[in-house]
Amino acid sequence: MPRSFLVKTHSSHRVPNYGKLETLREANGSCSACKELAGSRHLPEEEAPCNPSDPLQPWDSTSAVACISLPLLPNHRETLGVSGPEPQETSWVGPRAAQAPSVTLKDSFTLPPLLVLPTRWPPILGPDGALNEHLRAEGTSQVPGSFECIHCHRPYPTLAGLARHQQLHCHLPTGRAFTCRFCGKEYASLGALKMHIRTHTLPCICKVCGKAFSRPWLLQGHIRTHTGEKPYTCSHCSRAFADRSNLRAHLQTHVGTKKYRCAVCPKAFSRMSLLARHEEAGCCPGP
DNA sequence: CTGGGGAAGGGGCCC
DNA sequence: TGGGCCCCTTCCCCA
């Protein structure tokens, strides 16, 4: 599953409009973390006035209730042994009360038979009846006495960890909560939204070239392009890289495996982007 | 057209 | 709750 599953909408272009955001940065305060790196600035992310016609916002007190509500899918109710009409207290209580029935996150914790792993994990069937193949592939083993997500059955050693994880499942159509006022993307938690807003405000600015970044460590990586620092070295050929992910991609060239196969022709590629480019180039012409 | 490196975006997890 | 880090992904460019 791609890590971007949390986001419902996608922009067509990855590069933010820095110029458009410049005034935002100028108008706001400082970020100590970014200052440490390059004298950059950090601005409070929610200072803009809220238009009543805007979508649900994190500063809406009622939305705070909605955001911790999790949809109770029919098969979850079955798993929980819940029968009959849904209890009133599990109904949507926020501004979107008419949208969907749900169970609050807090309520979901009051169901120990569901949360405690009594048996081996995996395999456990997911809400759709499918196995958690991705976790099986990762070699995830049994976690005795841990807490299990009711949606994806992923085990967590602590209740707090499970609580945080389960909010992610609010991306389901009935569970949207926080909407970015800049782009309209929806997030299940306030923290996720705050993190996203940084991609608009770009509070971390390189004092060498002036380029802005959303997070200090992104700026840190960028600064390496100025310093030439390459802390990640290939164990096979001693080639150095500034970015760990780039080293990982480089390692694939040593392994020689090409796991991305064209669905039409026999060609295979080491990177997904190469396969995509191959398909776009017309290997697989449509009807 | 393909292979590969560089740079960056962004969500998730851990502390 | 926030920061730092991890990881995956994408885009661009060049050979």
Side-chain angles (χ1 to χ4, degrees), chain A residues 51-237:
Chain A
N51 187 332
S53 62
D54 285 347
L56 190 61
Q57 302 295 346
W59 41 82
D60 294 340
S61 59
T62 48
S63 70
V65 178
C67 85
I68 61 169
S69 295
L70 290 175
L72 187 58
L73 302 177
N75 49 340
H76 294 153
R77 293 172 56 80
E78 186 175 336
T79 305
L80 288 164
V82 177
S83 59
E86 296 203 20
Q88 189 63 36
E89 55 269 30
T90 62
S91 298
W92 196 264
V93 292
R96 305 179 189 283
Q99 290 185 347
S102 63
V103 58
T104 65
L105 191 63
K106 175 178 175 295
D107 287 345
S108 71
F109 294 156
T110 63
L111 304 165
L114 177 75
L115 300 175
V116 177
L117 271 181
T119 56
R120 295 180 60 193
W121 189 97
I124 295 175
L125 293 181
D128 58 353
L131 288 171
N132 284 298
E133 291 296 341
H134 61 297
L135 295 178
R136 290 166 60 91
E138 291 172 358
T140 309
S141 58
Q142 179 186 0
V143 183
S146 63
F147 300 93
E148 178 191 328
C149 173
I150 63 174
H151 298 284
C152 68
H153 297 286
R154 189 165 188 158
Y156 284 81
T158 65
L159 191 59
L162 172 65
R164 182 176 296 202
H165 164 79
Q166 286 210 322
Q167 290 190 41
L168 305 179
H169 291 292
C170 287
H171 75 286
L172 292 171
T174 57
R176 69 175 183 169
F178 299 118
T179 303
C180 174
R181 65 185 298 102
F182 295 107
C183 68
K185 286 182 180 176
E186 296 172 350
Y187 291 85
S189 71
L190 179 58
L193 173 60
K194 283 183 175 180
M195 187 171 61
H196 164 77
I197 287 177
R198 292 176 69 94
T199 67
H200 293 293
T201 58
L202 300 175
C204 306
I205 302 171
C206 175
K207 63 181 179 184
V208 176
C209 66
K211 191 165 184 178
F213 298 87
S214 59
R215 286 179 261 182
W217 59 267
L218 269 176
L219 172 59
Q220 206 164 18
H222 166 77
I223 289 176
R224 292 198 190 109
T225 67
H226 294 305
T227 63
E229 181 191 8
K230 295 181 177 180
Y232 305 103
T233 305
C234 175
S235 58
H236 294 81
C237 65

